Amino acid sequence: METTPALVIKNATLKLEGNEILHDFNWRVERGEHWFILGPNGAGKTTLVKMILGMAWPLFGAEVCVLGNRYGACDITEVRKKVAWASPFLQAWTADTSIRWKTIDVALSGLDSTVGFYRKASEEEMELALNALDRIGAKHLADRYFDRLSSGEQIKALIARALIAKPELVILDETCVYLDLKSREFLLEAIDALAAAENSPTMLFITQRIEEITASFDRGIILGNGRITSSGMRGDVLNEANLSDAFGVPIKLYPRPDGRLWPVLG
């Protein structure tokens, strides 16, 4: 059993175009943990994801270790094969193509780190794709064209694409951002089922909406202006004082029986 942490970030300050986006960032995630990352627009969530994926680099003196691999002393392309990133922004990659991909093709493309599948799949690979779709409750969509799916169904296909390579770390990056209420709830149910499954991977759920954070994510951080303003267990982080401070408005929280919290301006 792997004992190294899933993620370790130490003393990370990151600048983009001369602007300091993350400031003295320190964070540790153990294997198998499920964390939420909450913050308003401009808090640094996107930059944090880029740093974890090795697409943006902190200033000298920082340490970023992903799945036991220290960036700067490893092959990042090999590390990325173990990290799944699911984001609605991936949908744009399929928008301007003359080829119509079926949902199973999109899922299969996770094996080759493409969007759309450009070779014939083996029987074993087809089975992997169907299993990945099944894990997210989308097996019935396998033979439907991706461009005919609803936004929620497309996100499920992209999550299956992320899962097919059996990643050790899954990053769910604003996956609900374009969804209507019904689609969002169906997707959150599927994510909860994935989190509850045996041998569930380490998961990071990134959002700017408090009510999207399900009870499956029992640890979390709140970001504000590139800094962690609160970190720890869910109940210690998601309180009215922390959230009012993070979003700059007074917030009242109304809990649901399932553990989710509904914010109301107070």
Side-chain angles (χ1 to χ4, degrees):
M1 182 176 179
E2 185 61 64
T3 57
T4 58
L7 177 64
V8 177
I9 301 173
K10 294 182 180 179
N11 307 318
T13 295
L14 195 150
K15 289 186 176 181
L16 294 176
E17 298 179 353
N19 298 312
E20 195 169 292
I21 310 299
L22 297 178
H23 316 280
D24 194 24
F25 202 93
N26 294 274
W27 190 29
R28 181 186 179 102
V29 175
E30 300 295 342
R31 300 268 181 163
E33 291 181 343
H34 300 153
W35 285 72
F36 63 83
I37 299 96
L38 175 68
N41 287 332
K45 302 187 299 297
T46 298
T47 301
L48 175 59
V49 172
K50 288 181 177 179
M51 184 168 67
I52 295 171
L53 294 174
M55 298 167 63
W57 288 77
L59 300 180
F60 180 78
E63 179 181 332
V64 178
C65 292
V66 178
L67 302 173
N69 300 274
R70 181 167 179 168
Y71 284 1
C74 67
D75 184 345
I76 289 182
T77 59
E78 290 301 311
V79 178
R80 286 180 184 153
K81 293 178 181 178
K82 303 175 185 178
V83 179
W85 173 54
S87 167
F89 306 112
L90 278 171
Q91 294 180 50
W93 298 1
T94 65
D96 298 321
T97 178
S98 58
I99 303 174
R100 296 188 70 200
W101 303 109
K102 289 188 175 181
T103 300
I104 196 165
D105 297 321
V106 173
L108 281 164
S109 69
L111 294 170
D112 295 345
S113 297
T114 58
V115 178
F117 203 56
Y118 296 90
R119 59 181 176 83
K120 182 176 176 59
S122 68
E123 289 185 12
E124 291 79 9
E125 289 171 333
M126 290 292 287
E127 189 65 25
L128 284 174
L130 290 171
N131 287 340
L133 287 166
D134 191 41
R135 288 185 72 185
I136 200 67
K139 188 175 181 179
H140 63 289
L141 303 174
D143 289 326
R144 290 181 56 188
Y145 284 108
F146 183 80
D147 62 0
R148 291 297 180 91
L149 302 182
S150 69
S151 295
E153 290 169 338
Q154 287 184 346
I155 287 294
K156 284 188 175 185
L158 292 171
I159 293 176
R161 173 190 174 274
L163 294 176
I164 191 172
K166 298 182 180 179
E168 297 176 35
L169 173 62
V170 174
I171 302 173
L172 301 169
D173 184 8
E174 302 276 12
T175 48
C176 300
V177 68
Y178 295 137
L179 303 186
D180 60 29
L181 181 61
K182 181 179 178 180
S183 298
R184 181 186 72 175
E185 294 306 306
F186 283 154
L187 180 61
L188 291 177
E189 285 181 11
I191 290 172
D192 271 351
L194 174 63
E198 187 176 358
N199 298 321
S200 174
T202 308
M203 296 171 66
L204 308 180
F205 182 80
I206 299 162
T207 185
Q208 57 181 299
R209 297 187 173 94
I210 300 161
E211 68 274 13
E212 291 179 359
I213 304 171
T214 68
S216 295
F217 296 90
D218 58 354
R219 293 169 171 81
I221 59 176
I222 297 177
L223 294 185
N225 296 316
R227 291 182 169 86
I228 296 177
T229 61
S230 183
S231 176
M233 299 304 294
R234 176 190 181 88
D236 296 326
V237 173
L238 293 179
N239 60 54
E240 292 176 352
N242 287 342
L243 296 170
S244 296
D245 181 63
F247 288 92
V249 291
I251 291 176
K252 294 289 185 182
L253 293 176
Y254 293 88
R256 288 197 341 181
D258 62 3
R260 287 169 67 186
L261 299 168
W262 248 250
V264 176
L265 295 184

